[in-house]
Amino acid sequence: MNPVDPSTIDVQTLNRKLDQVKAQVFLHSETAAFLGSIMSTLDFIWTREHTTAATDGIHFWWNPDWFAALEPANRATVLRHELWHVARLHMVRQGSRDPKVWNFACDYVINNDLQTEGCDFTFGGLVDAKYRGMAEEDIYDDLMQNPPSPDAGVWVPGDGADMFPMDKAQKQQVINTVVTAVQQAKMTGAGKVPGGITELLDQFLTPVVPWQIYLSRWFTQLLEEDYSWSKPNRRYSDMYLPSRKLDDGKLENLAWYIDVSGSITTAQATRFKSELKFVKDTYQPEKLTVVQFDTAIRRVDVWEADDEFNSLEIHGRGGTSLDPVHRHILEERPTAAIIFSDMECHPMSQEGIEEIPVLWVMLPSRHGHTPSFGEMLTIQE
């Protein structure tokens, strides 16, 4: 985004007023150190390419005319609004979601909280009490089914989105910014780390499953059977040669089954996705097949080794059955299978898939059963 020509605005006056707005962040003792740390990393730019304000977690763009027209209290609200987009990793969590609808969902979370804090919204803003306490992902799902009226008369930043696509390195930079802010807040003792932020970071930084143990064990087992005649080698279309089950130390096809039944909570679904992201980024299987199931296969996504994984949209929410999982394994014959479920269903048969390594990652449940085969571990939410 190009900055404005200094000759067309009084940059010195604008910067002085902006400094006054920035000082307002430190008046909120509960979040002063945390948000202040994030704010100090942002590159503030005056530009008319935006009609209001926007951030990508690295830059903060502000339209000078709109800024000048706002009351001081409104400016402080906008600044805190954009800082919370960074703090809540909204640009990192967006994934493949519609950017405008995702922005609406994130705005509802931020503005509901800011309204509770007493921030001034006389200039307009997306605020709705029915979304109070809901996660952004859940609000997004609701908005996709019940889109807001275009005539609602609320303030919509720019073209409806005040966050922007980022590459992998930029996303990691934003994550590092928030990690540093958390550490800064803890070290100074000035205020506290806002609720939920540490949990959000954990989704991107700390898997709870000891994948090194389980996947290394699979690698060892599969190396003992280095070649398979189960299908032709893809590199030699005119010759029928055995294909390697491991290619350059990578699992050829890791099948990842996610229980998306109604008994799975949003927090549990998020945990599924965070573990998936870790395995995808760390081990880069040659092919990662992600299958969402309840009483049927609801969605299948495939990532190749070089594909970037950031998010997964959850589908389903019906009952639970492992029968479609069994059929899918029979048909696809993956190198190995990981099944995430609360196991609130009938057991799955091993018939026909005895040679395929299976890892059951189970959530604690009163009504769940214990599988009769494969390796098992139970994780907390």
Side-chain angles (χ1 to χ4, degrees):
M1 301 296 172
N2 296 325
V4 296
D5 182 350
S7 65
T8 65
I9 61 173
D10 185 349
V11 175
Q12 185 175 2
T13 299
L14 283 173
N15 285 340
R16 184 173 65 253
K17 291 182 178 180
L18 178 57
D19 287 340
Q20 294 170 353
V21 176
K22 290 180 178 179
Q24 296 296 310
V25 170
F26 296 100
L27 297 181
H28 294 262
S29 58
E30 287 292 305
T31 57
F34 177 69
L35 289 183
S37 176
I38 292 174
M39 184 174 64
S40 67
T41 69
L42 298 178
D43 180 16
F44 284 79
I45 301 171
W46 300 109
T47 177
R48 291 192 173 97
E49 291 189 28
H50 291 287
T51 57
T52 53
T55 185
D56 62 356
I58 300 170
H59 308 88
F60 189 121
W61 296 285
W62 212 322
N63 182 290
D65 308 307
W66 189 66
F67 175 89
L70 289 173
E71 295 294 329
N74 295 152
R75 295 169 187 162
T77 298
V78 173
L79 174 58
R80 289 174 61 78
H81 174 99
E82 299 298 335
L83 291 178
W84 278 115
H85 275 313
V86 184
R88 296 189 64 82
L89 300 173
H90 286 158
M91 53 286 298
V92 178
R93 294 160 61 189
Q94 178 179 320
S96 60
R97 295 182 178 88
D98 178 273
K100 186 172 182 178
V101 180
W102 174 246
N103 187 83
F104 283 164
C106 296
D107 281 357
Y108 277 122
V109 170
I110 293 173
N111 293 346
N112 280 340
D113 289 345
L114 291 179
Q115 186 183 58
T116 300
E117 293 178 11
C119 287
D120 191 316
F121 279 94
T122 54
F123 63 99
L126 289 172
V127 179
D128 194 329
K130 77 174 183 178
Y131 291 130
R132 197 172 302 281
M134 289 177 61
E136 291 88 337
E137 289 79 3
D138 292 337
I139 298 176
Y140 175 87
D141 291 341
D142 181 75
L143 289 173
M144 290 298 289
Q145 298 178 19
N146 307 288
S149 168
D151 302 320
V154 296
W155 165 62
V156 178
D159 61 357
D162 58 343
M163 297 175 293
F164 299 92
M166 312 179 73
D167 61 30
K168 188 174 182 179
Q170 291 171 320
K171 290 173 183 175
Q172 189 59 53
Q173 184 175 342
V174 173
I175 292 171
N176 292 343
T177 292
V178 180
V179 169
T180 300
V182 169
Q183 296 171 339
Q184 184 71 20
K186 291 180 177 180
M187 288 174 56
T188 61
K192 61 182 181 180
V193 178
I197 299 300
T198 301
E199 289 78 6
L200 287 174
L201 286 171
D202 285 345
Q203 297 169 23
F204 295 95
L205 299 175
T206 310
V208 299
V209 176
W211 294 113
Q212 296 88 338
I213 296 175
Y214 288 94
L215 294 188
S216 295
R217 189 179 304 163
W218 284 350
F219 288 155
T220 300
Q221 293 171 352
L222 293 169
L223 281 169
E224 294 173 357
E225 319 173 341
D226 201 16
Y227 291 89
S228 168
W229 288 88
S230 61
K231 59 182 179 179
N233 190 310
R234 292 174 299 171
R235 295 193 177 99
Y236 306 96
S237 57
D238 59 338
M239 301 175 62
Y240 194 87
L241 296 174
S243 62
R244 289 176 61 90
K245 285 194 173 185
L246 262 78
D247 188 355
D248 299 328
K250 298 176 181 178
L251 284 168
E252 184 183 74
N253 182 8
L254 176 61
W256 191 286
Y257 298 91
I258 299 178
D259 182 345
V260 292
S261 63
S263 59
I264 299 298
T265 67
T266 297
Q268 290 168 339
T270 300
R271 171 50 59 193
F272 293 169
K273 291 185 284 186
S274 65
E275 298 295 324
L276 172 59
K277 177 176 173 59
F278 177 82
V279 170
K280 172 68 177 71
D281 291 349
T282 303
Y283 295 96
Q284 295 185 324
E286 184 177 332
K287 178 181 178 182
L288 175 63
T289 303
V290 180
V291 181
Q292 299 182 41
F293 73 95
D294 46 28
T295 56
I297 301 299
R298 298 301 177 187
R299 182 181 175 116
V300 178
D301 293 282
V302 178
W303 281 270
E304 303 294 335
D306 295 332
D307 294 338
E308 182 180 0
F309 174 85
N310 290 308
S311 184
L312 181 71
E313 188 173 336
I314 295 296
H315 297 258
R317 301 311 199 191
T320 309
S321 174
L322 290 169
D323 292 340
V325 174
H326 182 258
R327 288 194 296 270
H328 191 273
I329 296 176
L330 274 173
E331 294 169 1
E332 296 297 322
R333 315 300 300 181
T335 312
I338 297 174
I339 304 174
F340 275 79
S341 177
D342 59 7
M343 309 305 292
E344 294 189 5
C345 57
H346 294 296
M348 186 173 87
S349 169
Q350 193 183 14
E351 183 178 355
I353 60 173
E354 292 86 356
E355 80 285 5
I356 297 176
V358 175
L359 171 62
W360 301 89
V361 183
M362 302 179 294
L363 296 163
S365 171
R366 293 182 180 179
H367 307 294
H369 72 274
T370 300
S372 60
F373 66 93
E375 298 193 62
M376 290 155 266
L377 70 141
T378 300
I379 62 173
Q380 301 300 317
E381 292 185 29

